[in-house]
């Protein structure tokens, strides 16, 4: 009789294992049968037979696991070989950010900043070799609790010169290096906590808005059918599309704006072309002419001298004599595609609301899933719009104008001084001056305008440099005006401390200083301590909060945290350039667009609009493609670069992570290791779009 644990059906179940290796054949493994459980009551011969069968099955299972392990090792090896090949191509090509003619940084400033990073790198390598030698000579310390009593108890007669040097090095760092380093770390920790509290309050404000379903509602639902015109609110609206050498996207923006659902007699579209490329100028002129033939009220303007960049372009357009006939102006950058009902959902908010100067809408991104870089940008900008802009708009009626996808009351622009070319953030400049004049802003989170994210790290890096140097320029210029302005003390505090200092200056300062300089240095000066909650827990919590507006991006929370710290070097450099008015802070580089979705979006817009519009737009696609093919030979070759500052910081962090192993600091080691790898990938330009270029 079989024991209780052998009762029931144990019929053999076939398990088919397919080996990918052609040297292996298909094998059938049987599941345990009843005989396998009756070893005690079976004859010796049967028992040996069962053992042999079990051994055979075990052998095949082990072979299967070995095969899987070999496949995993092959995949890892292939990845490393591909990585090594890419690195060799980067080095062989020799293109770095230093020899870029169109670099967004002043050469002297950039070299000085890079030299400072190199000093920390060489110092860390020297100290690491020193610490390795001390470790093998028996100097084992558990950071940060160093026992000075052991050092002081060493006899006067030292074993050798190395012990004497290392002992004095430890005493020097305890007495002279650790205190200032710990003080700077504590200052950065305080700033980190203040900024984290600000981020938490913003998230709570966003949660309250969602809970109470707070939403700006126009005082007058003013849009009836276009044909009836009864009880309608159709003021005169000026549309401006500033662009400069953006042949990849001009067609989709013009088509989208010309498809806006608004009476043609009450709208004028200005295409403000600052292009210095004759072919681009010709293409844009042809596109404008074709829409004019279709009945669109659209004009083409070109400046010979590109003074003041975008601000100068907008200022020149506003000086036209016919502008006085218009009450509102909507601005769209060249890659933006407003939906046909854009004006109907924004302009009515101005009705019976004379204090309202700006209606800003949210951006959405047509290429947010193209690569890792665009996914990470989507996380950042989703938080910016849904949390920062929405909360500030609801509770304060002030936020920074995003430069596009917004509608201004022309009277507010004129009373605030109009567009000024004094900074590279003309959008933030006019918003600050309008707020000081008492104008209110509204942010519409439910009205989206499609646009394109930069897909290459080079373009994103230049964009971030401009976005973080400009606010510091503006802060220096606007501080006296803010202090003298006749607004409440709370609004002055919000603008000076929260808007400028905390979010534009303190954030890049502590991000770079704390995680890229102080943390690695504490590995070599272990008497200065950074708690684990500063290194891991709070940053992880803040990343979690940042990613909430983009819940589909949760799998990228760790890359997001690492990439934000990696970008801190660019943002810190830009902040310093703008604060001290260095040369690179005044450079304007147009963000490169690729027009990934231009053809599909154009077709969809044409299908929604009148059929006669399609006739004027479709033939131009073939013509443009032919023109672009002819230009391919004269175009500049696209290529990836090596970013020296990011690479230097990568080696600094990786060296510090190796040093942390000697002190058995687990969390610090993993953070430094993965952060160093992140800097390495960015330094080799392995994030974002990859160009296949052979070295010359």
């Amino acid at each position: 009789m079989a024991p209780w644990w052998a009762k029931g059906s144990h019929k053999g179940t076939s398990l088919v294992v397919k080996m990918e290796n052609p040297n292996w054949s298909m094998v059938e493994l049987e599941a345990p049968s009843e005989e396998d459980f009756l070893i005690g009551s079976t004859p010796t011969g049967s028992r040996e037979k069962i053992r042999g069968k079990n051994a055979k099955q075990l052998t095949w299972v082990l072979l299967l696991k070995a095969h899987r392990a070999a496949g995993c090792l092959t995949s890892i090896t292939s990845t490393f070989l591909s990585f090594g090949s890419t690195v060799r191509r980067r080095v062989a090509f020799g293109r770095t950010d230093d020899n870029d003619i169109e670099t967004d940084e002043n050469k002297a400033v950039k070299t000085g900043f890079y030299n400072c990073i190199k000093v920390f790198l060489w110092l860390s390598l020297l100290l690491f070799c020193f610490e390795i030698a001390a470790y093998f000579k028996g100097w084992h310390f558990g950071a940060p609790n160093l026992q000075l009593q052991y050092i002081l108890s060493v006899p006067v007669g030292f074993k050798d010169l190395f012990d004497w040097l290392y002992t004095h090095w430890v005493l020097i760092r305890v007495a002279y290096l650790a205190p200032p380093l710990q003080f700077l770390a504590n200052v950065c920790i305080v700033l980190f906590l203040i900024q984290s509290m600000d981020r938490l309050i913003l998230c709570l404000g966003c949660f309250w808005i969602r809970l109470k379903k707070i939403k700006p509602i126009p005082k007058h639902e003013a849009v009836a059918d276009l044909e009836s015109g009864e009880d309608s609110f159709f003021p005169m609206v000026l549309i401006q599309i500033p662009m400069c050498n953006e042949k990849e996207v001009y067609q989709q923006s013009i088509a989208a704006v010309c498809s806006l659902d608004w009476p043609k007699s009450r709208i004028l579209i200005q295409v403000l072309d600052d292009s210095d490329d004759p072919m681009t100028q010709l293409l844009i002129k042809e596109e404008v002419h074709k829409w004019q033939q279709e009945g669109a009220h659209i004009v083409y303007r070109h400046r010979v001298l590109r003074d003041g960049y975008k601000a100068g372009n907008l200022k020149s357009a506003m000086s036209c004599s016919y502008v006085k006939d218009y009450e509102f102006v909507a601005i769209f950058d060249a890659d933006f595609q407003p939906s046909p009902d854009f004006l109907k959902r924004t302009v009515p908010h101005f009705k019976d609301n004379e204090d309202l100067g700006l209606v800003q809408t949210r951006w959405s991104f047509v290429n947010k899933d193209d690569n890792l870089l665009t996914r990470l940008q989507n996380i950042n900008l989703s938080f910016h719009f849904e949390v920062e802009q929405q909360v500030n708009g609801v509770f304060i009626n002030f936020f920074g104008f995003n430069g596009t996808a917004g509608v201004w009351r022309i009277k507010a622009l004129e009373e605030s001084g109009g567009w000024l070319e004094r900074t590279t953030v003309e959008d933030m400049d006019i918003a600050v001056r309008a707020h000081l004049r008492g104008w209110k802003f509204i942010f519409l989170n439910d009205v989206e305008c499609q646009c394109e994210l930069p897909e290459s790290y080079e373009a994103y890096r230049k964009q971030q440099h401009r976005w973080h140097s400009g606010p510091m320029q503006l802060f220096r210029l606007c501080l006296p005006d803010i202090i003298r302005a006749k607004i409440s003390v709370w609004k002055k505090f919000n603008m000076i401390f929260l808007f400028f200092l905390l979010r534009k200056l303190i954030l890049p300062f502590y991000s770079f200083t704390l995680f890229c300089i102080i943390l690695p240095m504490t590995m070599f000066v272990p008497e200065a301590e950074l708690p684990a909650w500063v290194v891991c827990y709070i940053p992880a919590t803040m990343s979690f909060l940042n990613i909430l507006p983009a819940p589909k991006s949760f799998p990228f929370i760790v890359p997001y945290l690492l990439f934000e710290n990696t970008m801190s070097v660019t943002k810190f450099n830009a902040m310093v350039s703008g604060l001290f008015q260095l040369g690179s802070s005044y450079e304007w580089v147009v963000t490169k667009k690729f027009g990934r979705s231009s053809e599909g979006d154009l077709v969809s817009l044409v299908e929604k609009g009148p059929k006669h519009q399609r006739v004027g737009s479709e033939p131009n696609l073939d013509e443009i493609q032919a023109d672009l093919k002819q230009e391919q030979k004269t175009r500049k070759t696209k290529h990836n670069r090596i970013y020296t500052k990011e690479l230097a910081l990568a080696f600094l962090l990786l060296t510090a992570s190796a040093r942390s192993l000697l002190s058995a600091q687990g969390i610090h080691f993993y953070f430094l290791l993965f952060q160093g790898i992140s800097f390495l990938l960015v330094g080799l330009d392995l994030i974002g779009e990859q160009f296949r270029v052979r070295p010359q």
Side-chain angles (χ1 to χ4, degrees):
M1 183 176 179
W4 63 271
W5 45 266
K7 291 181 179 180
S9 177
H10 293 282
K11 294 182 179 181
T13 302
S14 297
L15 173 64
V16 179
V17 181
K18 185 177 181 181
M19 295 297 193
E20 296 179 2
N21 193 317
N23 295 326
W24 300 96
S25 60
M26 191 172 293
V27 181
E28 183 179 278
L29 301 182
E30 292 185 356
S33 62
E34 292 184 3
E35 296 178 355
D36 299 332
F37 297 96
L38 302 177
I39 297 178
S41 60
T42 55
T44 305
S46 300
R47 191 180 307 171
E48 294 297 332
K49 182 179 179 180
I50 293 171
R51 288 178 179 174
K53 184 169 66 173
N54 290 341
K56 184 179 180 180
Q57 291 179 348
L58 179 61
T59 301
W60 283 114
V61 171
L62 292 177
L63 286 174
L64 176 61
K65 292 185 177 181
H67 178 74
R68 290 176 177 174
C72 182
L73 290 176
T74 302
S75 177
I76 294 175
T77 303
S78 176
T79 301
F80 275 102
L81 289 176
S82 177
F83 176 77
S85 176
T86 303
V87 172
R88 285 195 300 271
R89 287 198 303 269
R90 294 283 193 277
V91 176
F93 190 73
R95 188 79 183 189
T96 67
D97 52 339
D98 291 321
N99 52 32
D100 184 7
I101 299 177
E102 297 178 355
T103 181
D104 59 341
E105 297 173 331
N106 179 271
K107 194 71 175 178
V109 177
K110 180 179 181 179
T111 303
F113 187 48
Y114 176 53
N115 288 336
C116 291
I117 296 176
K118 285 199 297 185
V119 167
F120 282 104
L121 173 60
W122 287 112
L123 180 62
S124 66
L125 291 172
L126 177 64
L127 292 177
F128 179 67
C129 295
F130 196 35
E131 294 290 344
I132 286 288
Y135 184 83
F136 284 105
K137 289 183 71 66
W139 293 80
H140 301 164
F141 300 115
N145 299 318
L146 181 64
Q147 300 297 327
L148 295 180
Q149 290 81 2
Y150 172 79
I151 300 176
L152 298 176
S153 63
V154 176
V156 178
F158 294 96
K159 294 181 180 180
D160 52 28
L161 178 62
F162 182 85
D163 288 334
W164 182 84
L165 289 175
Y166 191 78
T167 302
H168 280 73
W169 158 244
V170 173
L171 292 174
I172 289 174
R173 76 188 190 196
V174 169
Y176 301 104
L177 299 181
L181 184 61
Q182 186 66 64
F183 174 77
L184 183 58
N186 292 339
V187 171
C188 289
I189 290 174
V190 172
L191 297 177
F192 182 29
L193 292 177
I194 295 175
Q195 197 274 334
S196 300
M197 186 62 63
D198 173 63
R199 187 64 53 93
L200 179 61
I201 293 173
L202 287 174
C203 290
L204 292 176
C206 183
F207 174 76
W208 182 259
I209 291 173
R210 282 196 172 190
L211 182 65
K212 297 296 183 179
K213 298 181 180 179
I214 302 175
K215 175 183 175 181
I217 300 176
K219 293 183 178 179
H220 184 62
E221 297 292 346
V223 180
D225 293 335
L226 293 177
E227 297 180 356
S228 64
E230 296 179 1
D231 245 352
S232 298
F233 173 59
F234 288 119
M236 300 289 286
V237 179
L238 180 67
I239 308 290
Q240 295 179 333
I241 313 176
M243 56 181 65
C244 179
N245 297 326
E246 296 172 277
K247 66 179 66 176
E248 296 85 0
V249 294
Y250 75 92
Q251 197 173 19
Q252 64 192 40
S253 62
I254 293 176
V257 170
C258 289
S259 301
L260 288 172
D261 191 3
W262 202 258
K264 293 182 179 180
S265 61
R266 307 193 69 78
I267 188 174
L268 174 64
I269 303 169
Q270 289 181 316
V271 178
L272 311 177
D273 183 23
D274 263 5
S275 303
D276 54 9
D277 177 28
M279 176 60 71
T280 304
Q281 296 177 25
L282 180 60
L283 292 173
I284 298 175
K285 282 182 181 179
E286 290 180 353
E287 184 70 12
V288 171
H289 179 66
K290 288 182 178 180
W291 282 102
Q292 287 175 342
Q293 290 181 331
E294 296 301 326
H297 199 190
I298 182 172
V299 296
Y300 174 85
R301 284 180 53 85
H302 175 72
R303 295 192 307 160
V304 178
L305 298 178
R306 192 188 166 205
D307 295 333
Y309 304 112
K310 182 179 177 180
N313 198 0
L314 295 173
K315 182 178 181 180
S316 174
M318 294 298 293
S319 64
C320 296
S321 58
Y322 53 77
V323 172
K324 66 180 185 298
D325 299 328
Y326 293 84
E327 188 176 356
F328 303 102
V329 56
I331 302 172
F332 301 100
D333 284 348
D335 60 315
F336 278 72
Q337 307 164 53
S339 58
D341 62 347
F342 181 87
L343 293 180
K344 286 188 174 182
R345 301 179 67 183
T346 54
V347 175
H349 288 271
F350 291 96
K351 182 66 174 179
D352 299 329
N353 194 356
E354 298 300 326
D355 293 333
L356 182 61
L358 167 67
V359 174
Q360 173 72 58
T361 64
R362 179 174 179 163
W363 301 356
S364 62
F365 311 105
V366 296
N367 61 337
K368 62 181 179 182
D369 297 323
D370 276 17
N371 55 49
L372 179 59
L373 178 61
T374 57
R375 292 177 185 272
L376 299 179
Q377 292 179 69
N378 179 55
I379 296 173
N380 248 344
L381 292 173
S382 295
F383 181 87
H384 168 69
F385 285 108
E386 185 158 345
V387 179
E388 292 180 338
Q389 297 289 76
Q390 184 173 212
V391 170
N392 288 326
V394 169
F395 295 105
I396 307 177
N397 292 123
F398 167 72
F399 46 81
F401 175 46
N402 294 116
T404 178
V407 182
W408 275 95
R409 189 188 295 272
I410 293 181
K411 181 180 179 182
L413 290 177
E414 294 174 346
E415 289 188 356
S416 303
W419 299 103
L420 300 180
E421 307 99 323
R422 56 182 183 174
T423 71
T424 58
V425 284
E426 73 295 325
D427 46 8
M428 185 181 296
D429 187 358
I430 188 64
V432 169
R433 287 184 280 118
H435 182 60
L436 295 180
R437 289 276 185 172
W439 292 99
K440 296 180 180 180
F441 304 161
I442 284 179
F443 177 76
L444 302 179
N445 191 55
D446 58 338
V447 181
E448 297 184 355
C449 189
Q450 285 193 339
C451 63
E452 184 178 329
L453 291 166
E455 297 181 14
S456 68
Y457 178 69
E458 177 191 5
Y460 179 65
R461 187 169 175 261
K462 291 179 178 180
Q463 180 195 71
Q464 292 301 303
H465 185 275
R466 175 165 53 87
W467 284 5
H468 287 80
S469 63
M472 290 297 97
Q473 303 172 17
L474 183 61
F475 179 65
R476 291 173 58 99
L477 296 172
C478 286
L479 183 59
D481 295 333
I482 296 174
I483 295 175
R484 293 193 299 264
K486 297 179 180 180
I487 57 178
S488 65
V489 176
W490 157 245
K491 288 186 177 181
K492 291 183 180 180
F493 172 81
N494 171 70
M495 186 170 288
I496 294 175
F497 180 74
L498 296 180
F499 185 75
F500 278 112
L501 292 181
L502 185 60
R503 298 166 190 165
K504 311 299 182 185
L505 188 149
I506 292 177
L507 177 58
F509 170 77
Y510 85 74
S511 296
F512 174 75
T513 307
L514 184 62
F515 296 110
C516 299
I517 300 298
I518 295 178
L519 178 58
M521 290 297 102
T522 57
M523 299 298 102
F524 302 100
V525 185
E527 297 77 18
E529 178 183 6
L530 272 184
W533 56 268
V534 173
V535 177
C536 179
Y537 303 129
I538 291 187
T541 303
M542 292 300 104
S543 298
F544 176 80
L545 294 177
N546 280 17
I547 215 167
L548 284 177
K552 293 183 180 179
S553 302
F554 268 104
F556 303 96
I557 186 170
V558 174
Y560 171 73
L561 171 61
L562 298 174
F563 182 69
E564 279 302 289
N565 288 334
T566 304
M567 284 303 300
S568 65
V569 59
T570 297
K571 296 176 181 179
F572 176 82
N573 189 26
M575 181 269 292
V576 173
S577 299
L579 186 63
F580 296 102
Q581 295 184 330
L582 303 178
S584 61
S585 63
Y586 292 97
E587 296 180 6
W588 179 288
V589 180
V590 177
T591 304
K592 181 66 177 176
K593 290 106 178 176
F594 294 92
R596 297 295 189 191
S597 60
S598 59
E599 188 172 350
D601 290 336
L602 183 58
V603 171
S604 64
L605 282 171
V606 170
E607 289 177 350
K608 292 179 181 179
K611 292 183 178 180
H612 67 274
Q613 290 183 355
R614 185 166 183 157
V615 177
S617 180
E618 253 188 281
N620 196 31
L621 290 174
D622 297 332
E623 295 177 11
I624 291 175
Q625 289 176 357
D627 292 334
L628 293 179
K629 287 181 180 179
Q630 293 178 359
E631 286 187 83
Q632 286 179 352
K633 295 182 180 180
T634 59
R635 283 185 184 179
K636 293 182 65 177
T637 304
K638 297 178 181 179
H639 42 67
N640 296 99
R641 306 171 186 274
I642 293 177
Y643 297 97
T644 53
K645 293 193 298 294
E646 284 80 356
L647 278 183
L649 283 168
F651 293 123
L652 170 62
L653 293 169
L654 292 175
T655 303
S657 69
R659 170 62 183 89
S660 68
L661 285 177
L662 302 181
S663 303
Q665 293 177 284
I667 292 179
H668 296 72
F669 165 73
Y670 288 114
F671 181 86
L672 290 167
L673 175 64
F674 290 116
Q675 191 64 69
I677 294 174
S678 175
F679 268 102
L680 182 63
L681 296 177
V682 172
L684 294 172
D685 200 3
L686 296 175
I687 183 173
E689 187 179 23
Q690 299 297 301
F691 303 107
R692 300 289 183 180
V693 181
R694 294 181 180 179
Q696 299 177 351

